[in-house]
Amino acid sequence: MPNSFVEECDEFVGDAWLAYRNHPWIEAMAAGTLPVEKFVRFQVDDAPYISDLHRALALGVSKAPTGSSWAKAACTVLDDVWVLGEIEAKQELLAELGRTAPLPRGPEAYCPAREAYANHLVRTALECPIGEIAAALLPCAMFTEVIGRRFRDVDIPGPDAYRRWARIYVERAVHRMAAEHAAMMEAEAARTDDRGRARMKLKYLRSVQHQIAVFDSAWELDVDWPGSRARTAVLHG
């Protein structure tokens, strides 16, 4: 039986959580068989998403209890040094792998799966109370477990860029935000009703499903919008 609300959410999500944690993209990185192009694809698609992830956090700060530890942790993540540092770290990793073009950061750069995930987070942050916002954000923050903890003491086969990327999710600020999401969910679950808790569970489930979808997109290299190649040919041919 679950001992906490977050554990109830994990139980509600069921096999989807395992599909996220053990996605073929992650398993291939662990086995040393992840093609560089699929690693690059994930990082390139992640760049515009970072901005909307931080927008969701900023909106959450406006709804969090005044002076809450959640808000303080979110403000640490939102600091310009952190935002730019995350993007610059990706840029450096990709340069090592031969991709020197600037990372795309505008909404026009979104692939379908990433835009769907970003829209889910921003809409939740706009429309919903802080408990649902924390529930929607936690699966992304759980890279601390899915990537950080799994690869903490592992010599990942392949390019050094893989190892350096995994180390990002061992950093203290990332772990603090994940813990604060979970604590906020517990606090809000205690003060809301069954309907409110059900909404939080649904936001959590949707985010896990979106995490799977963005890994699917990078793994399958399925990143084009319908008609995008034809439109590009007309514009630039």
Side-chain angles (χ1 to χ4, degrees):
M1 292 294 291
N3 294 317
S4 70
F5 180 69
V6 173
E7 289 178 350
E8 285 185 34
C9 290
D10 288 336
E11 187 175 85
F12 178 73
V13 166
D15 290 345
W17 177 249
L18 293 177
Y20 170 24
R21 183 186 290 273
N22 302 122
H23 193 278
W25 190 100
I26 298 172
E27 294 302 319
M29 190 170 79
T33 59
L34 179 66
V36 168
E37 64 178 330
K38 295 187 178 184
F39 179 84
V40 169
R41 188 70 257 169
F42 185 91
Q43 308 307 329
V44 170
D45 291 341
D46 198 41
Y49 166 83
I50 290 170
S51 295
D52 277 327
L53 171 64
H54 287 84
R55 288 188 180 95
L57 279 169
L59 290 164
V61 170
S62 71
K63 297 182 178 183
T66 302
S68 68
S69 57
W70 187 97
K72 292 176 182 178
C75 287
T76 297
V77 174
L78 288 168
D79 184 274
D80 284 345
V81 175
W82 179 271
V83 176
L84 293 176
E86 190 171 0
I87 294 174
E88 288 172 359
K90 287 181 181 293
Q91 190 76 67
E92 291 174 6
L93 293 176
L94 296 185
E96 290 180 15
L97 298 172
R99 188 193 189 281
T100 57
L103 282 167
R105 293 173 62 179
E108 70 279 357
Y110 270 129
C111 70
R114 285 285 182 173
E115 182 163 311
Y117 195 6
N119 287 349
H120 161 68
L121 294 181
V122 174
R123 180 174 181 177
T124 298
L126 281 168
E127 296 180 353
C128 302
I130 188 62
E132 292 178 49
I133 296 171
L137 289 168
L138 180 56
C140 180
M142 287 302 290
F143 258 42
T144 55
E145 298 286 332
V146 176
I147 302 297
R149 179 171 293 181
R150 175 165 183 179
F151 296 109
R152 182 190 299 274
D153 300 313
V154 175
D155 185 17
I156 302 171
D160 185 59
Y162 293 12
R163 292 182 283 276
R164 290 175 57 201
W165 174 71
R167 290 191 200 111
I168 293 172
Y169 304 101
V170 180
E171 294 182 17
R172 182 174 180 274
V174 184
H175 279 265
R176 180 185 175 195
M177 196 72 255
E180 290 294 344
H181 289 324
M184 182 62 75
M185 289 169 65
E186 298 295 343
E188 292 301 303
R191 65 171 58 103
T192 191
D193 56 16
D194 287 345
R195 186 175 180 183
R197 286 187 286 274
R199 288 195 298 265
M200 291 168 65
K201 289 180 181 179
L202 179 59
K203 294 297 189 298
Y204 187 83
L205 170 63
R206 283 288 180 266
S207 288
V208 172
Q209 291 169 330
H210 281 299
Q211 281 286 173
I212 296 166
V214 298
F215 273 118
D216 283 347
S217 179
W219 178 248
E220 297 165 5
L221 298 176
D222 180 18
V223 296
D224 288 322
W225 291 90
S228 61
R229 294 178 182 174
R231 183 170 61 252
T232 300
V234 168
L235 291 175
H236 302 290

